[in-house]
Amino acid sequence: MKKEKQILSRIFFILLLLFAAVRQTDAQESTYTESQGSLITPQFFGIDPYGGKDPGWPQFFELLNEDSLNFGLVGFGIGWERIEPAPPQGGVHSYDWSSLDERMQIVVKSGRMADLDILCRSDWATVVPSSQIERPLGMSPPKEDANSDTTWGMTAYQAWSDFVFNLVERYDSDGIDDAPGITRPALRYLHLGNEPEAPDHFLAYGGSPELYDRMLAVTYEAAKRANPNILVVRGRSNPGNIFDDNPDEVTLRARSGDYLDFLTTSLRLGSEHFDVFAINFNDHYTGLFPFVRWLKTEMAKNGYTKPLLVAAARTTLCPRDNDAPVHILPPRYPPGFMESLRDTSHPQHIANRTLYHADEVRQSLRKMVVALASGQEAISLQPGIGPVIHPRAIWRDAGLIDAQVYRATGDLRKARKPVYYAARQLMDVLIGADKQVKILDLGADVFAYQITKQGKNFFLLWHEDPFDVDSQGLVRRGQKVAVDLTPFVSTPQVRVKYFVIELDSNYAPIYPSDVIVSANGVVIDETPLLVESLNPTSVEDKRENIPQRFLLYQNYPNPFNPQTTICFYLLRREHVTLKVFDVLGREVATLVDGEVNAGDHAVLFYAKDLPSGIYFYRLTTRSFSQTKLMEVAKL
């Protein structure tokens, strides 16, 4: 009897705790509404698996989850001709969704959302048949006289509208005409085409600014009719390669030519049939800022009212080389350099490989933070997985995964490159941080960005002069300069964290040890540093190379319904917070907030009152913070 009373007492106590947690969550949600969407969430980061037909495509996302790389978006494209190869008969469509269903199911299973390009191509309904469109990104406007064939029962524009409507409806998980396996909304962004201003993407196939605007209007109306929450995107524009950080319009036009002519004409049409204006960010990163300034000014002239219209910036993880006869950018490397990366017997293979990896890390990380600083809504890194077939070596060798290693071994784990781990290091800091990123002026050729997370400042720093080359044609390395961070921190010392730029013989990342240095003399070079301000109220250990071991494990089970277990390990006693957030950055639960002893710990998270979807949980101590994804999957 006494034992039964004890059990009942414990159950009652647990119920009281659960009730308090629910009440606390409600209070947190009500006080958080004013700052909703002010934090960086996984939805800011995307991965575009260029070469996505490879059989390793699904395993790549399993690997991302295993390694806690919190890319919230998956980018890829689909052509109309793949879904509807034959015209409708008497107003009845015959769609083949099998290929797209397979990809969208992978996206949903991975806990992400799709960032989808749709291309208007058809052998029966577009001005130029898809069989005559050479480039994979090309598209053509629908035929104007397509209603002459009475057997269709509609015009070509009506057929395109139906296609868009049915596509959005199929992946919105509202219980109406949903695809198999789509248990939650799978589609976040819907792009109309890629670089529509490029002559060989649209203009060469019967397109014009006026016709693109009409297509955008049809696409917008059909998508919103299916799902008002879908974000329709004006197809990613490529501003060209601009190397002046503050060019006037004459300079912009000289560099970009027809691109800006197309854009200005399109904007002056006065229609705003999109939610987001997307930019391709393939090339030199400094070109983004002046283009954004010009674009916002041009949009304001024409009465566009939407905030942050420049969004979904695309990046490519590729440094410049000199192997191709036509350069996208001025060469960074001498002829034959990229070939030495693929030839393991080359005498300079190891040295050049290390140099290449450091460059790739710098270019990738700076693009992520530049996208934030210029007010973008999302950024996708591409390509993500090989093999990539492309005449330019910079594309063949680009990516988070080493296509050469993957082709030789078939093992994605062995093919992970240093930039894969470096991206995780930066994302662990950025996710949960404030969206407002400050650009600091710390001297010539010094790139400095301040990130604030939970009241603490972090700085991403590097030094670079991209046009200063040595006698062998290589950009000079080792240009070390010292910067003073004392105006931005409240302690005389700061912690310097180094990014991964090398792997060991077992393909594992080599994490350099953190060091604590004087805030008025942080030495930087071309490899980015992450500098963290110290807590002025704490006693920091000034010794270098002190091992730190704090671990946040993936919750299990995952997906779960309605409860899951979250485990973590502490090296020493710490004040710990463990919180759960939704995809908009809103805090929905605090699981731990207090002093916790060293060792392993397990916390039960009960999500009975939460809707299905993606959430992320974050463990924070005085010296450690990490975030992971989890999914509530209810029937």
Side-chain angles (χ1 to χ4, degrees):
M1 186 69 177
K2 183 178 180 181
K3 186 176 182 180
E4 291 177 353
K5 287 183 177 180
Q6 289 176 340
I7 293 173
L8 289 174
S9 176
R10 289 179 181 176
I11 292 174
F12 179 72
F13 179 69
I14 292 172
L15 289 173
L16 283 176
L17 288 178
L18 289 173
F19 177 74
V22 171
R23 291 292 300 272
Q24 182 183 24
T25 298
D26 291 341
Q28 289 166 344
E29 288 185 315
S30 63
T31 58
Y32 198 79
T33 53
E34 292 184 3
S35 60
Q36 177 178 329
S38 63
L39 298 181
I40 303 167
T41 74
Q43 295 295 328
F44 178 79
F45 304 99
I47 191 73
D48 188 344
Y50 194 82
K53 293 181 180 180
D54 187 89
W57 196 77
Q59 286 72 40
F60 180 60
F61 296 105
E62 295 176 8
L63 191 66
L64 291 179
N65 284 353
E66 179 182 313
D67 292 327
S68 299
L69 261 76
N70 292 329
F71 292 103
L73 299 172
V74 181
F76 57 93
I78 190 74
W80 185 13
E81 80 283 359
R82 296 280 300 276
I83 306 298
E84 191 173 18
Q89 296 296 312
V92 178
H93 295 279
S94 179
Y95 296 126
D96 179 4
W97 299 104
S98 57
S99 176
L100 187 55
D101 279 354
E102 181 181 358
R103 288 197 173 195
M104 296 297 275
Q105 288 161 1
I106 293 171
V107 170
V108 169
K109 184 179 179 181
S110 74
R112 295 169 172 82
M113 298 185 76
D115 175 17
L116 184 67
D117 300 327
I118 52 171
L119 301 169
C120 191
R121 297 188 300 224
S122 170
D123 284 336
W124 54 271
T126 55
V127 174
V128 175
S130 58
S131 57
Q132 297 178 25
I133 297 177
E134 296 181 4
R135 296 291 297 271
L137 302 179
M139 63 178 185
S140 176
K143 294 178 181 177
E144 291 288 349
D145 60 350
N147 59 343
S148 60
D149 187 343
T150 57
T151 62
W152 292 10
M154 63 185 67
T155 67
Y157 273 96
Q158 289 171 334
W160 171 255
S161 175
D162 288 350
F163 161 68
V164 173
F165 175 87
N166 284 288
L167 183 149
V168 174
E169 182 64 61
R170 191 169 181 83
Y171 303 111
D172 64 1
S173 77
D174 64 353
I176 303 173
D177 297 326
D178 293 337
I182 304 302
T183 56
R184 59 174 177 79
L187 186 57
R188 181 171 178 83
Y189 295 109
L190 187 69
H191 300 247
L192 177 58
N194 192 327
E195 300 182 8
E197 304 85 6
D200 54 352
H201 289 181
F202 185 54
L203 295 176
Y205 304 113
S208 68
E210 293 79 7
L211 288 175
Y212 181 78
D213 185 70
R214 180 179 175 186
M215 290 172 60
L216 196 56
V218 172
T219 303
Y220 184 86
E221 185 280 330
K224 292 293 186 179
R225 184 159 41 89
N227 179 7
N229 296 321
I230 192 72
L231 295 174
V232 178
V233 181
R234 188 192 184 282
R236 292 179 287 275
S237 298
N238 190 332
N241 306 315
I242 305 162
F243 298 94
D244 185 346
D245 273 332
N246 192 28
D248 54 23
E249 186 164 339
V250 173
T251 304
L252 281 167
R253 289 190 175 280
R255 297 281 172 84
S256 298
D258 294 338
Y259 287 92
L260 291 192
D261 291 335
F262 189 108
L263 276 178
T264 51
T265 301
S266 179
L267 292 174
R268 288 167 187 165
L269 294 175
S271 58
E272 196 173 13
H273 305 297
F274 53 87
D275 299 299
V276 175
F277 194 115
I279 300 173
N280 251 346
F281 194 12
N282 289 347
D283 305 324
H284 192 42
Y285 67 99
T286 57
L288 187 63
F289 285 108
F291 184 74
V292 167
R293 288 193 292 270
W294 173 85
L295 184 57
K296 288 185 175 179
T297 300
E298 195 68 23
M299 296 177 92
K301 290 179 185 177
N302 294 277
Y304 287 82
T305 57
K306 288 183 173 67
L308 298 175
L309 287 171
V310 180
R314 292 282 169 156
T315 184
T316 301
L317 307 179
C318 56
R320 305 191 294 268
D321 77 289
N322 204 359
D323 285 355
V326 179
H327 304 298
I328 296 178
L329 298 169
R332 177 183 295 277
Y333 302 118
F337 180 89
M338 300 303 287
E339 289 302 326
S340 74
L341 303 183
R342 294 184 286 274
D343 181 4
T344 56
S345 64
H346 193 282
Q348 296 298 316
H349 171 76
I350 295 177
N352 287 350
R353 196 80 185 167
T354 302
L355 176 64
Y356 171 86
H357 284 155
D359 279 351
E360 192 172 45
V361 166
R362 178 182 62 257
Q363 183 176 9
S364 304
L365 299 188
R366 72 190 181 192
K367 284 192 172 184
M368 292 165 72
V369 81
V370 162
L372 270 170
S374 62
Q376 307 304 301
E377 181 174 319
I379 181 170
S380 280
L381 304 181
Q382 65 135 10
I385 186 174
V388 177
I389 307 301
H390 198 279
R392 291 191 177 102
I394 57 174
W395 287 85
R396 295 200 305 271
D397 286 272
L400 299 173
I401 298 296
D402 189 316
Q404 181 184 7
V405 172
Y406 178 52
R407 284 196 299 269
T409 66
D411 189 336
L412 282 171
R413 286 169 177 78
K414 291 182 178 179
R416 289 172 292 192
K417 300 201 309 192
V419 67
Y420 177 95
Y421 299 99
R424 172 184 165 174
Q425 288 177 280
L426 182 61
M427 289 168 67
D428 282 347
V429 172
L430 291 179
I431 292 177
D434 298 342
K435 280 187 178 178
Q436 187 65 41
V437 173
K438 295 181 181 179
I439 305 172
L440 306 180
D441 184 3
L442 298 181
D445 300 323
V446 174
F447 295 79
Y449 299 89
Q450 178 179 314
I451 302 151
T452 302
K453 183 173 183 178
Q454 298 179 337
K456 178 177 285 189
N457 290 331
F458 295 82
F459 306 89
L460 189 69
L461 308 171
W462 71 91
H463 176 264
E464 178 185 357
D465 182 354
F467 301 110
D468 189 3
V469 297
D470 62 19
S471 59
Q472 296 181 344
L474 285 170
V475 172
R476 288 198 296 122
R477 299 303 193 274
Q479 303 174 80
K480 297 184 182 297
V481 298
V483 297
D484 183 3
L485 292 177
T486 53
F488 312 102
V489 297
S490 56
T491 56
Q493 293 181 310
V494 292
R495 185 187 303 277
V496 176
K497 299 175 178 289
Y498 298 94
F499 289 98
V500 173
I501 60 171
E502 292 183 272
L503 306 179
D504 63 20
S505 58
N506 294 318
Y507 308 97
I510 299 175
Y511 288 100
S513 300
D514 299 350
V515 297
I516 295 177
V517 302
S518 174
N520 65 0
V522 180
V523 178
I524 61 174
D525 58 18
E526 289 197 332
T527 303
L529 296 180
L530 185 67
V531 179
E532 175 185 350
S533 62
L534 301 180
N535 189 338
T537 62
S538 66
V539 179
E540 291 285 344
D541 196 326
K542 306 300 189 295
R543 292 174 297 163
E544 298 181 4
N545 303 329
I546 298 178
Q548 303 292 325
R549 185 167 179 254
F550 296 89
L551 299 174
L552 177 63
Y553 300 97
Q554 188 64 48
N555 64 300
Y556 65 90
N558 189 45
F560 65 95
N561 174 30
Q563 66 185 33
T564 189
T565 300
I566 300 172
C567 297
F568 60 93
Y569 174 86
L570 299 181
L571 179 68
R572 56 177 176 264
R573 181 179 173 84
E574 288 266 14
H575 184 279
V576 172
T577 61
L578 179 60
K579 297 184 177 183
V580 179
F581 301 86
D582 65 14
V583 294
L584 296 178
R586 297 176 298 192
E587 182 180 317
V588 299
T590 296
L591 307 181
V592 179
D593 187 359
E595 292 290 317
V596 178
N597 289 328
D600 287 303
H601 300 273
V603 179
L604 182 66
F605 176 45
Y606 193 64
K608 179 181 178 181
D609 297 325
L610 292 179
S612 298
I614 299 301
Y615 296 84
F616 59 101
Y617 57 99
R618 181 172 63 219
L619 178 74
T620 303
T621 72
R622 177 177 57 82
S623 56
F624 172 84
S625 181
Q626 188 172 357
T627 304
K628 289 182 180 288
L629 285 170
M630 62 182 174
E631 179 180 1
V632 178
K634 298 181 180 179
L635 298 178

